[in-house]
Amino acid sequence: MQNILLIIADQLTFDAIGCRGNQYVHTPNIDSLFNNGVGLGRVYSQYPLCGPVRASFWTGRLPHQTGVVSNGGDYQNKDIVEQGIPTLGQQLVKAGYHAIHFGKNHDYGGLNGFEQLPREEVAFNDPDGWPLNYDSFWDEGTTRQVEHYFRSMADKTLDKPFAAVADLNNPHNICGYIGEFIGEHDNPPYPDGPLPPLPDNFAFDDIANRPRSVQYICCAHRRQAQTAGWTAENFQHYLAAYYHYIDMTDRNIGRILGSLDESGQRENTTIIFMADHGDNVAARGMTTKHTSFYEQTTRVPMIFSGKGIPQQGKWLDDGLFSLMDLAPTLCDIAGTSMPDAQPGHGYSMLPFATGEKSGQQRDYVVSQWHTEWGYTIEPGRMLCSGRYKYTRYLEDVGESRGEEFFDLEKDPGEKRSLIHDPAYQDELNRHRQLFNQYLQETGDDFLSHSWQAKDRYRSHALGYNQHTGLCAPDFEQMIAGK
């Protein structure tokens, strides 16, 4: 039986690594995994938020099926353990693995079955002067724990194979960076060299054609509100900081892989690298993630390397995958399967990574949104069929403004919603039918939900840079006396 090492980054968008052609990051260790393996180029997160997507991919169930549809706070999530939902960790243990998890959890019981070490926070100063917080400090502690685990195996015969998860927080530290530079500000010192350029879809001149839940993300999301008043150069510094935290992530991955080498177990280990969701990286003037389903937040890197994986160093872009596929994939490697499979559950990606299969295994992938903390509620869904992406929000029910439709082949930057374009009406209607089919097949009760946002959160002039007053999390906490 082969070992499994799963490495997870938090908030890493698919194009923010060197092996995707990004020249503004330094990711030699991630690139090495890719060069000695393969990448799946069309993998989507089923919820661009930590808690819901993690509860989902540890169980192979969609968020509406797990009942975890927020990051918690004042909004009640269901506990997976209390519901008796089978988890990946349980199946790996049954298959004879030592299943062990290091680092970020935020899983609402989804990690049940894994041995979970207490998280360690190790503070340090960044030599380049970038602001650091618990994200980076936890990653230092996590990396040290993984190093100790693998180094303790050196010159030993294992009683059972391991399925180890190195769950890193970064580049999530970018959220804290925004909190350090709220509103109008002078840019911090930047090391020698040019600043990263803004993406070609930085200007959001189609905002009037988008759903209200998207138009007013700044009123629901603290980090977006904090960028009101930023200049274009402020956003370039944001990108530079984001890439710096990715560089830090890559260095930790290098240390983890180095300790795996010291264990003597690398040749018998299949390695998977992925992210839970992405970051808007200044596309449409947006930061971090919230409510929307654009490529930057929902599309994530997925790399296979090591035992059983051909060393091709190429991206496979001819299939659609979801993080729903993670649990079935690891079970496939372990020679077991997830129990109680239902419509909407995932498929193993292993046959595609090994070259046994090719092509598109499903008609579409989906992503969901409900709320972050419960201060506003913006139920939304995304359905991507490959070339086309359809989104729907309940706030504008009965209005075409509550929908978006994109031709990703002609408009990869999602600059123009095609809802009102007569040339796309047939394709739009086909995707509306696919969406209704998805709701029926998966039992998604999306249409029965309600949206919630006070008038004050829909009152300022359009444009995230026009945001005024407190955003919902800050205002609601203030009136609650928190």
Side-chain angles (χ1 to χ4, degrees), residues 228-431:
W230 276 20
T231 65
E233 190 174 343
N234 291 152
F235 278 97
Q236 286 182 273
H237 278 260
Y238 166 81
L239 288 176
Y242 182 66
Y243 295 149
H244 177 76
Y245 299 128
I246 294 172
D247 294 350
M248 292 178 61
T249 304
D250 187 82
R251 290 196 293 271
N252 285 330
I253 290 172
R255 291 167 57 186
I256 289 167
L257 295 176
S259 64
L260 177 62
D261 288 336
E262 293 179 39
S263 74
Q265 293 294 324
R266 184 155 185 174
E267 291 186 1
N268 192 41
T269 302
T270 302
I271 305 168
I272 300 175
F273 169 75
M274 57 170 272
D276 59 350
H277 56 76
D279 183 283
N280 271 299
V281 289
R284 291 160 296 275
M286 301 167 77
T287 58
T288 69
K289 74 288 177 187
H290 201 286
T291 308
S292 67
F293 301 106
Y294 301 121
E295 292 287 275
Q296 288 75 24
T297 59
T298 57
R299 191 172 167 189
V300 295
M302 177 70 71
I303 296 172
F304 289 76
S305 190
K307 184 170 178 67
I309 306 300
Q311 299 180 20
Q312 295 181 328
K314 69 177 184 180
W315 291 98
L316 308 177
D317 294 323
D318 60 346
L320 279 175
F321 301 92
S322 166
L323 294 184
M324 290 282 294
D325 301 329
L326 179 67
T329 300
L330 267 63
C331 282
D332 196 2
I333 296 172
T336 185
S337 61
M338 290 296 292
D340 191 27
Q342 299 174 7
H345 290 197
Y347 305 88
S348 175
M349 296 177 280
L350 185 61
F352 297 87
T354 60
E356 296 176 23
K357 288 185 179 181
S358 62
Q360 193 159 316
Q361 65 177 342
R362 50 162 62 92
D363 294 330
Y364 56 81
V365 291
V366 298
S367 190
Q368 304 182 356
W369 183 270
H370 193 75
T371 185
E372 182 181 21
W373 303 109
Y375 300 116
T376 61
I377 297 176
E378 311 92 357
R381 296 291 187 268
M382 178 208 82
L383 184 148
C384 179
S385 62
R387 175 173 176 175
Y388 300 103
K389 180 186 285 186
Y390 171 77
T391 74
R392 185 168 176 181
Y393 294 88
L394 289 185
E395 182 171 354
D396 306 282
V397 64
E399 305 176 37
S400 59
R401 188 170 58 181
E403 300 172 295
E404 295 170 299
F405 192 62
F406 302 102
D407 184 339
L408 297 177
E409 184 177 291
K410 294 184 177 181
D411 180 22
E414 298 161 293
K415 296 179 181 179
R416 289 285 181 271
S417 176
L418 301 168
I419 285 295
H420 300 297
D421 191 325
Y424 284 88
Q425 289 307 299
D426 288 345
E427 200 62 61
L428 170 60
N429 288 329
R430 183 175 77 87
H431 280 74

